[in-house]
Amino acid sequence: MHRFVPWPPERNARCWCGSGVKYKRCCGRPGFAQTPVPDRARCLIRIESQGERPRDVRWVAVPSELRTDRLHDALNQALGVDDDPLYLFEIDGGEVPDPRVANEADSHTAAQATLSMLANEPGHRFTYCYDLDRDRACTVVVEEITAVDPARNDVVIVDGAP
């Protein structure tokens, strides 16, 4: 049975979220929508080199809401790329460019997009072009998504097979 909740709740009514606190002190407080939500999911991603024989495969675990400019740093670390060449992420139907080369037509740059915008389920994949001058790229595949403590959700380079 569904319970009808008037919207918005009265300021002194119990909050609709079930916290037991008054709405004005919970979801109705000023600035609530701007409060960052802790990232409770970690993605294990597989990085497969393109065009190299034998195929080079690396793994990295990252927060699911990691901004793609920080994902670029994590992927470069896993790949052993020391410099900071221009890059972009390609997904079906579009791309997320390096903010250094973005233009007004780009809906999101790597400083605005997150990993979950590129791939948000196991098996989803995208291409990471990490050296545009030398046309170097790799395929990135989400292997698994696990729940983690937000305080311990850091980037982890995985040595060898997970």
Side-chain angles (χ1 to χ4, degrees):
M1 179 166 152
H2 296 286
R3 185 172 64 106
F4 175 74
V5 177
W7 195 259
E10 297 283 326
R11 288 189 43 80
N12 287 318
R14 299 252 181 233
C15 191
W16 63 273
C17 74
S19 67
V21 179
K22 289 181 180 183
Y23 176 69
K24 69 181 180 184
R25 301 240 184 254
C26 192
C27 297
R29 74 180 188 278
F32 174 78
Q34 285 77 34
T35 304
V37 176
D39 193 352
R40 299 181 183 278
R42 178 181 290 158
C43 296
L44 177 64
I45 55 178
R46 183 178 74 235
I47 309 160
E48 301 175 355
S49 61
Q50 294 180 355
E52 293 182 22
R53 296 286 180 245
R55 187 176 72 185
D56 187 20
V57 179
R58 311 278 174 98
W59 285 269
V60 63
V62 297
S64 65
E65 293 301 322
L66 187 68
R67 273 193 352 242
T68 50
D69 58 344
R70 294 203 47 230
L71 177 62
H72 152 74
D73 295 335
L75 294 173
N76 279 356
Q77 184 179 355
L79 292 166
V81 176
D82 293 328
D83 53 352
D84 190 20
L86 297 176
Y87 65 95
L88 66 88
F89 296 92
E90 293 178 338
I91 53 174
D92 291 337
E95 61 184 41
V96 176
D98 185 327
R100 297 173 290 186
V101 295
N103 61 48
E104 292 114 29
D106 296 318
S107 59
H108 287 93
T109 68
Q112 301 161 318
T114 62
L115 170 59
S116 67
M117 295 168 94
L118 298 176
N120 57 21
E121 290 185 22
H124 282 183
R125 61 182 59 231
F126 57 91
T127 301
Y128 171 55
C129 303
Y130 60 96
D131 190 346
L132 299 179
D133 293 335
R134 296 191 308 187
D135 203 28
R136 297 174 68 190
C138 58
T139 301
V140 179
V141 181
V142 175
E143 290 282 307
E144 66 182 44
I145 302 172
T146 56
V148 295
D149 176 355
R152 307 179 123 233
N153 200 3
D154 298 320
V155 172
V156 178
I157 306 301
V158 181
D159 292 328

